[in-house]
């Protein structure tokens, strides 16, 4: 498994010289210099001409406005681990970085900056404003990319992309033209989500729905037998009503269907229409129809040929009916209800009325449904292909349980509104002529010129360009070497919260643009990072964490390991600072164990001795090492990062550091050929263990591995392989027996109140067991001294066929210990008696919930175990 073919670097870095390896690990002194070394040497730069198999991940492009948060750190850690491992496995691994121009978010940042100077974008004009945004991007954008270096992201910086760079802009124009020519992009007047603050359309997935207290007002339209009652939470929109709708089979209103009634507060008569959409069981069974301000009402209006009456402007101010003209929508709501109340038309009012209200995901303004002329993508044929790709297995979703959420979205997708009333973004490549002409211009075509011709002022939804990310970043529409080598990408690792935002968009566009080639073979979905109590992190509650603070305090490896250890597929990840401290301790343990090994001559030089020349301890750890490699490989293939981390943690800390290193001390102290063999095994175990840990904790492992092996870097060395040839069931059984003896005696010592370092005389009877050759190790681990001739055992422990007799006289206060144990025994017996009585009471069992009965039964079992344990401890005490 050892690869020492790499040469030492010419420059000196922390950890290069074993003689100067510090006694403690200081991440700040290692990480920055080591990362620059990796980048300088081109370890992360992929070669499109390589004959190695390709492995590709494109980074979910963070917003140019963004900074590294724990969610980024979490996903980046996992992507980095996948890429580093595949690189070590011999793949030409490309992890491609980049940023998204983030239309609304970035424009808002620059507009806020202008507002501080008393200006608006309109004061500058479009061209000057866009230039200002580019200046802002150069000065402030991409902060997150520098922070990614702190985390250790092994991305190919030579291929960094931006969704508005020249190549990606060409890709956007190309696919727009192709979709337009194929009839999959069209312009139409539809109901859209409108943000009165950002003054732009929003797609459904850019709207956050939050429960908010409001009011439900029931209003009587018409009079007498011709009256009808409707309920609404948006009373101001009744000014734009053009009908009332009822269900065709609702007998209550059959006499009104086809007739008109007077709309209150206006001079208009509106029809009563029958429509299947209406639920006769909900409310009064009648609904007001405002086609220009509600998507369901718009659909009813289309079916019945109703007029669309817009009653609000783009700022949410009322544009009709004198008394309310110019009022803000929320002011108008109160005014309209007040006017209706004066006329006696309010039948009922419910306050507060909790209901879901849409908010702009960028500025959190309440969204207004609004009829607007916009550009749309006809998604039906594209979405079908995106669904089929998962159904037929070309794309795998991990965990499979989340497939349902994906299908719910792609199978029921509405046409996608792609135009935004912004200035920052990809301008829609459509020109309008003086005679109503509409011309879509491709990337190599000249736009029409002359009097009256002008380009559409809108820009495209940010997700339109990021939906091209897996192939536009590789050079599409040109058939580049990168595209040929690295597409389809292998894994898309992203949060389950953006299946709709991004995953479905990339699936639709990738299959369409790349002739049916999927954009990625696997979608590995993660959960969201939460605080240690499972709650959402937020600045307002004081639970938000800057990962850079934790990296400064504990090192990048500690943060990475903590995040990876919580990464169960699709599940949210709770994280707290104490857990990061624990990971820091793990990194220190790796450091200290490797220093011990180096100080004791651990080596990777030469082949391993044959099994027959090794001790059972050496054969055991090599067997466990082989099993761990196989386990880790299988877990990586299932994206079980938490289980990978846990398996490595317990193998490294429990088996290598706590058992093998300690057991080796006895052999190393004796010297000779056996010690030399163990030094070689110790070197092998550390070599492979550091390789296994490297993808998750790259800094500490590379520093230690280069010191141990003298080779260049773990980044470009080989991943270990498991072939089963080192598996040794007999050695594993033998050491398991040894561990059982040591564990039982340690527990007994602890129960007797002995300190771990306290030495105790003991006689060991190992006759007939496999432990005879391990007596020195057992004594060393248990602090058991060889007894004098007059030895008198005060306690005897039969364990695993062996007997350990101890003389505890003089080591504990027997009388005090017996008194303490008898008190504990009495408490346990009382607990068992009480729980037994309850479980024997038929009346109690008949009435108590199952979970209560189960808890009492658990308490009864625990009390029984305590009684057995304490009784054994009392029996083991020296006799008075």
């Amino acid at each position: 498994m050892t690869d020492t073919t790499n040469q030492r670097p010419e420059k000196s870095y922390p950890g290069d010289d074993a003689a100067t390896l510090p006694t403690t690990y200081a991440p700040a002194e290692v990480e920055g210099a080591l990362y620059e070394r990796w980048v300088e040497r081109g370890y992360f730069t992929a070669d499109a001409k390589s004959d190695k198999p390709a492995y590709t991940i494109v980074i979910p492009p963070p917003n140019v406005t963004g900074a590294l948060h724990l969610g980024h750190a979490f996903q980046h850690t996992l992507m980095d681990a996948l890429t580093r491992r595949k690189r070590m496995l011999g793949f030409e691994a490309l992890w491609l970085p980049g940023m998204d121009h983030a239309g609304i978010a970035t424009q808002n940042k620059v507009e806020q900056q202008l507002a501080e100077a008393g200006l608006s974008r309109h004061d500058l004009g479009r061209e000057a404003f866009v230039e200002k945004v580019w200046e802002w991007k150069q000065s402030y954008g991409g902060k997150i990319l520098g922070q990614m270096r702190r985390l250790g992201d092994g991305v190919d910086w030579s291929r960094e992309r931006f969704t508005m760079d020249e190549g990606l802009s060409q890709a956007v124009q190309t696919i727009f033209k192709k979709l337009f020519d194929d009839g999959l992009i069209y312009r139409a007047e539809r109901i859209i989500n409108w943000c009165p603050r950002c003054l732009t359309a929003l797609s459904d997935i850019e709207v956050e729905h939050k429960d908010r207290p409001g009011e439900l007002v029931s209003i009587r339209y018409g009079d007498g037998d011709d009256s009808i009652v409707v309920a609404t939470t948006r009373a101001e929109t009744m000014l734009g009503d053009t009908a009332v709708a009822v269900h065709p089979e609702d007998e209550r209103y059959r006499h009104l269907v086809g007739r008109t009634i007077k709309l209150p507060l206006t001079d208009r008569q509106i029809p009563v229409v029958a429509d299947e959409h209406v639920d006769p069981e909900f409310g009064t069974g009648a609904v007001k129809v405002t086609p220009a301000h509600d998507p369901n009402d718009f659909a009813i209006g289309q079916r019945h040929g109703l007029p669309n009456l817009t009653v609000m402007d783009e700022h949410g101010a009322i544009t009709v009916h004198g008394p309310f003209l110019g009022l803000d929508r929320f002011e108008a709501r109160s005014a309209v209800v007040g006017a209706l109340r004066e006329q006696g038309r309010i039948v009922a009012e419910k306050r507060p009325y909790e209901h879901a209200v849409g908010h702009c995901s960028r500025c959190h303004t309440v969204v207004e449904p609004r009829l607007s002329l916009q550009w749309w993508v006809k998604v039906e044929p594209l979405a079908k292909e995106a669904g089929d790709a998962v159904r037929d297995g070309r794309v795998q979703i991990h965990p499979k349980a989340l497939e349902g959420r994906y299908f719910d979205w792609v199978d029921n997708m509405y046409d996608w509104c792609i135009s935004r009333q912004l200035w920052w973004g990809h301008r829609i490549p459509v020109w309008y002529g003086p005679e109503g002409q509409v011309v879509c211009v491709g990337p190599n075509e000249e736009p029409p010129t002359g009097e009256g011709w002008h380009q559409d002022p809108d820009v495209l939804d940010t997700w339109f360009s990021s939906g091209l990310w897996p192939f536009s970043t590789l050079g599409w529409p040109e058939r580049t070497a990168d595209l040929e080598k690295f597409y389809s990408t292998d894994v898309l690792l992203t949060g389950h919260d953006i299946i709709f935002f991004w995953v479905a968009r990339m699936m639709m566009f990738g299959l369409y643009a790349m002739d049916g080639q999927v954009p990625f073979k696997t979608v590995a979905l993660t959960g969201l990072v939460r605080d240690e109590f499972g709650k959402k992190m937020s600045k307002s509650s004081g639970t938000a964490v800057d990962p850079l603070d934790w990296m400064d305090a504990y090192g990048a490896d500690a943060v990475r390991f903590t995040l990876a250890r919580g990464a169960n597929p699709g599940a949210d990840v709770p994280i707290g600072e104490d857990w990061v401290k624990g990971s820091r301790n793990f990194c220190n343990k790796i450091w200290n164990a490797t220093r011990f090994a180096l100080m004791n001559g651990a080596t990777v030089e030469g082949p391993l001795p044959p099994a027959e020349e090794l001790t059972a301890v050496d054969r055991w750890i090599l067997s466990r090492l082989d099993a761990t490699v196989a386990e880790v490989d299988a877990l990586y293939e299932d994206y079980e990062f938490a289980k990978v981390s846990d398996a490595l943690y317990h193998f490294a800390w429990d088996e290598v550091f706590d058992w093998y290193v300690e057991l080796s001390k006895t052999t190393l102290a004796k010297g000779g050929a056996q010690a030399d063999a163990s030094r070689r095994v110790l070197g092998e175990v550390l070599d492979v263990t550091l390789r296994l840990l490297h993808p998750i904790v790259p800094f500490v492992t590379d520093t230690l591995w280069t010191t141990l092996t003298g080779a260049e870097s773990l980044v470009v060395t080989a991943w270990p392989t498991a072939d089963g040839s080192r598996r040794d069931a007999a050695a594993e059984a033998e050491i398991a027996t040894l561990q059982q003896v040591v564990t039982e005696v340690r527990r007994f010592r602890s129960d007797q109140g002995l300190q771990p370092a306290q030495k105790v005389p003991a006689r060991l009877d190992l006759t007939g067991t496999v432990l005879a050759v391990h007596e020195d190790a057992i004594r060393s681990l248990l602090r058991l001294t060889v007894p004098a001739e007059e030895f008198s055992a005060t306690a005897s422990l039969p364990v695993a066929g062996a007997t350990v007799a101890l003389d505890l006289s003089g080591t504990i206060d027997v009388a005090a210990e017996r008194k303490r144990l008898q008190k504990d025994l009495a408490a346990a017996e009382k607990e068992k008696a009480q729980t037994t009585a309850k479980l024997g009471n038929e009346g109690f069992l008949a009435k108590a919930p199952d979970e209560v009965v189960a808890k009492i039964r658990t308490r009864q079992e625990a009390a029984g175990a305590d009684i057995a344990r304490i009784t054994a401890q009392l029996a083991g005490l020296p006799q008075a």
Side-chain angles (χ1 to χ4, degrees):
M1 291 188 187
T2 302
D3 176 7
T4 56
T5 58
N6 297 331
Q7 299 299 309
R8 278 188 177 277
E10 297 86 355
K11 294 170 68 175
S12 178
Y13 291 89
D16 282 350
D17 186 351
T20 61
L21 196 64
T23 55
T24 57
Y25 178 49
E29 297 176 11
V30 171
E31 293 175 352
L34 189 52
Y35 186 84
E36 292 310 315
R37 167 185 169 184
W38 294 334
V39 174
E40 288 168 12
R41 292 182 166 271
Y43 293 159
F44 307 137
T45 304
D47 182 2
K49 298 178 181 178
S50 167
D51 57 4
K52 296 178 182 178
Y55 183 82
T56 315
I57 296 179
V58 291
I59 202 168
N63 288 351
V64 70
T65 59
L68 188 74
H69 57 65
L70 275 175
H72 289 127
F74 170 53
Q75 293 181 355
H76 288 204
T77 294
L78 306 186
M79 285 184 276
D80 195 31
L82 290 173
T83 311
R84 286 176 181 270
R85 176 174 173 268
K86 287 294 186 177
R87 188 179 291 114
M88 295 171 75
L89 278 166
F91 286 78
E92 194 62 41
L94 169 60
W95 185 19
L96 192 147
M99 292 181 296
D100 192 286
H101 67 278
I104 296 176
T106 306
Q107 178 157 321
N108 281 347
K109 287 279 188 184
V110 179
E111 287 196 82
Q112 289 166 13
Q113 196 177 63
L114 289 174
E116 292 172 3
L119 299 171
S120 75
R121 59 176 162 135
H122 300 285
D123 293 324
L124 272 66
R126 182 167 194 144
E127 187 174 333
F129 176 78
V130 170
E131 186 177 330
K132 197 78 174 174
V133 182
W134 276 108
E135 289 174 5
W136 183 93
K137 187 259 182 186
Q138 295 302 322
S139 299
Y140 301 101
K143 178 181 178 183
I144 194 172
L145 298 180
Q147 294 169 335
M148 286 163 55
R149 303 171 90 93
R150 283 288 313 278
L151 189 64
D153 284 8
V155 297
D156 185 346
W157 293 110
S158 71
R159 286 180 167 87
E160 180 189 336
R161 302 305 299 269
F162 179 52
T163 50
M164 282 186 63
D165 67 28
E166 185 178 349
L168 270 66
S169 295
Q170 183 183 21
V172 167
Q173 198 172 353
T174 299
I175 201 162
F176 188 100
K177 171 73 171 173
K178 180 174 169 59
L179 288 163
F180 182 90
D181 290 347
D182 287 348
L184 295 174
I185 280 184
Y186 63 94
R187 196 178 189 219
E189 201 172 39
R190 298 275 185 87
I191 292 287
I192 49 91
N193 302 296
W194 180 263
C195 177
R197 157 63 183 80
C198 298
L199 299 180
T200 184
L202 304 172
S203 65
D204 290 342
I205 52 180
E206 291 172 301
V207 177
E208 296 176 349
H209 291 276
K210 306 173 186 177
D211 286 339
R212 291 288 183 266
E215 60 179 354
L216 182 66
V217 182
S218 296
I219 309 168
R220 178 170 50 84
Y221 287 15
D223 296 292
D225 291 340
D226 290 346
S227 67
I228 196 165
V229 175
V230 299
T232 181
T233 59
R234 301 165 65 222
E236 70 282 5
T237 63
M238 59 94 51
L239 301 172
D241 286 358
T242 56
V244 171
V246 297
H247 193 274
E249 297 178 5
D250 194 330
E251 293 293 338
R252 293 171 295 176
Y253 306 117
R254 189 179 293 276
H255 68 290
L256 289 175
V257 174
R259 297 171 58 186
T260 64
I261 57 175
K262 185 178 180 181
L263 178 67
L265 306 182
T266 74
D267 294 326
R268 291 191 290 118
Q269 293 283 326
I270 60 175
V272 177
V273 299
D275 195 277
E276 295 280 352
H277 170 76
V278 180
D279 181 0
E281 303 299 322
F282 183 77
T284 64
V287 297
K288 59 191 286 299
V289 182
T290 321
H293 292 278
D294 183 274
N296 293 321
D297 294 3
F298 178 77
I300 293 175
Q302 293 288 99
R303 287 193 288 272
H304 297 276
L306 300 175
N308 302 315
L309 180 58
T310 300
V311 297
M312 281 182 227
D313 66 14
E314 61 184 6
H315 298 280
I318 301 299
T319 59
V320 298
H321 202 69
F324 312 108
L325 184 64
L327 290 181
D328 171 79
R329 54 189 167 151
F330 300 118
E331 295 173 334
R333 184 171 301 170
S334 297
V336 166
V337 171
L340 290 167
R341 191 181 293 115
E342 287 181 9
Q343 292 188 4
R345 293 197 172 274
I346 299 297
V347 176
E349 297 179 67
K350 184 176 181 180
R351 295 189 185 90
Y353 178 71
E354 287 280 338
H355 63 125
V357 179
H359 293 72
C360 172
S361 62
R362 300 296 182 188
C363 71
H364 310 295
T365 299
V366 173
V367 167
E368 191 64 40
R370 186 169 187 260
L371 188 64
S372 181
L373 184 62
Q374 302 283 347
W375 285 95
W376 304 80
V377 172
K378 184 179 180 181
V379 300
E380 185 180 2
L382 303 174
K384 181 182 183 304
E385 289 296 317
D388 290 346
V390 174
R391 287 189 171 93
D392 63 25
R394 282 176 289 159
V395 176
Q396 304 286 330
I397 292 181
H398 283 269
K400 192 174 179 64
L402 290 180
E403 275 187 1
R405 291 186 64 185
Y406 176 78
F407 291 135
D408 284 346
W409 180 252
V410 298
D411 292 349
N412 301 285
M413 196 183 296
Y414 295 110
D415 282 1
W416 173 18
C417 177
I418 56 170
S419 46
R420 297 292 180 269
Q421 289 65 56
L422 303 171
W423 288 354
W424 172 245
H426 294 98
R427 188 93 173 258
I428 289 177
V430 170
W431 270 255
Y432 305 110
E435 305 298 326
Q437 305 99 313
V438 178
V439 176
C440 181
V441 178
N444 299 314
E445 300 171 354
E446 290 295 325
T449 57
E451 186 177 351
W453 282 95
H454 64 281
Q455 187 177 0
D456 193 299
D458 287 352
V459 300
L460 289 163
D461 177 9
T462 299
W463 297 101
F464 190 95
S465 52
S466 60
L468 315 181
W469 191 250
F471 53 94
S472 63
T473 52
L474 297 173
W476 187 91
E478 303 300 323
R479 296 303 298 191
T480 64
D482 275 2
L483 196 65
E484 294 291 340
K485 178 73 175 179
F486 296 112
Y487 190 89
S488 300
T489 69
D490 287 85
V491 180
L492 171 70
L493 191 144
T494 190
H496 61 63
D497 56 323
I498 61 170
I499 289 180
F500 320 128
F501 282 89
W502 195 43
V503 177
R505 310 295 195 214
M506 288 188 288
M507 286 284 280
M508 292 191 300
F509 281 168
L511 290 161
Y512 174 74
M514 296 299 294
D515 301 320
Q517 274 187 280
V518 295
F520 26 74
K521 303 177 185 76
T522 298
V523 179
L525 296 171
T526 70
L528 308 178
V529 178
R530 298 188 177 273
D531 70 16
E532 58 191 300
F533 305 108
K535 296 180 180 178
K536 183 178 180 180
M537 289 185 171
S538 69
K539 292 180 180 179
S540 60
S541 63
T543 57
V545 173
D546 184 344
L548 294 176
D549 291 341
W550 280 354
M551 282 190 267
D552 288 342
Y554 309 112
D557 283 335
V559 174
R560 290 170 62 111
F561 192 75
T562 305
L563 291 165
R565 204 170 181 193
N568 290 298
D572 288 348
V573 183
I575 185 172
E577 188 166 5
D578 284 345
W579 304 344
V580 184
K581 291 178 182 177
S583 296
R584 184 268 316 271
N585 294 342
F586 178 54
C587 292
N588 288 342
K589 186 77 170 180
I590 301 169
W591 184 271
N592 292 333
T594 306
R595 283 193 75 250
F596 165 83
L598 290 169
M599 290 167 58
N600 285 273
T603 180
V604 295
E605 298 296 329
L608 279 171
E612 57 271 16
E613 295 179 14
L614 299 176
T615 65
V617 172
D618 288 336
R619 297 197 308 276
W620 161 74
I621 197 62
L622 290 174
S623 181
R624 292 296 308 128
L625 181 65
D626 194 76
T628 301
V629 173
E631 180 184 9
V632 168
D633 279 337
L635 292 171
Y636 262 120
E637 294 306 312
D638 281 338
Y639 304 96
E640 293 279 5
F641 298 100
K643 292 180 179 178
V644 167
S645 305
D646 223 40
L648 290 173
Y649 176 90
H650 288 295
F651 174 71
W653 193 307
D654 298 345
E655 298 189 90
V656 178
F657 305 149
D658 279 359
W659 282 105
Y660 180 66
V661 169
E662 292 301 316
L663 288 168
S664 296
K665 289 178 180 179
T666 304
T667 305
L668 295 174
K670 290 179 180 178
Q674 199 71 72
D676 289 341
S678 289
R679 289 188 183 95
R680 179 64 188 88
V681 172
L682 181 56
E684 179 77 6
V685 170
L686 287 173
D687 170 17
V688 175
T689 302
L690 292 171
R691 295 190 202 205
L692 292 174
L693 285 164
H694 176 72
I696 300 174
V697 284
F699 293 107
V700 67
T701 52
D702 196 45
T703 303
L704 293 171
W705 187 85
T706 54
T707 303
L708 173 70
T709 65
E712 181 181 337
S713 176
L714 259 177
V715 181
V716 289
T717 198
W719 181 257
T721 57
D723 59 11
S725 62
R726 293 179 179 173
R727 300 301 293 272
D728 192 323
E732 290 199 34
E734 182 174 329
I735 302 307
T737 303
L738 184 153
Q739 290 172 325
Q740 182 183 356
V741 170
V742 172
T743 301
E744 289 296 325
V745 176
R746 279 178 175 166
R747 184 180 295 118
F748 178 78
R749 284 176 57 109
S750 176
D751 289 342
Q752 304 309 314
L754 295 175
Q755 296 299 313
Q758 193 170 352
K759 293 183 178 180
V760 178
R763 179 174 291 133
L764 276 58
D765 181 2
L766 308 176
T767 307
T769 72
V770 295
L771 302 176
V773 296
H774 301 293
E775 180 169 347
D776 289 347
I778 292 172
R779 287 189 179 279
S780 175
L781 291 170
L782 292 171
R783 304 295 191 269
L784 303 179
T785 61
V786 177
E789 290 184 9
E790 63 276 12
F791 173 79
S792 176
T794 59
S796 182
L797 278 73
V799 186
T803 302
V804 180
L806 304 109
D807 179 4
L808 301 179
S809 58
T811 59
I812 60 172
D813 184 337
V814 176
E817 185 65 13
R818 179 171 280 109
K819 184 176 181 180
R820 182 185 71 80
L821 289 172
Q822 286 172 339
K823 182 179 178 181
D824 291 347
L825 180 61
E829 288 174 336
K830 181 180 179 180
E831 170 75 353
K832 185 174 182 182
Q834 290 176 340
T835 53
T836 301
K838 280 191 175 182
L839 292 172
N841 185 332
E842 294 297 333
F844 169 78
L845 293 176
K847 296 179 181 178
D850 291 344
E851 60 269 22
V852 172
V853 175
K855 285 182 180 179
I856 293 173
R857 187 165 284 115
T858 300
R859 284 170 51 196
Q860 182 194 47
E861 292 170 356
D866 286 344
I867 291 169
R869 176 179 57 80
I870 297 168
T871 301
Q873 289 177 233
L874 283 166
L877 285 175
Q879 297 302 311

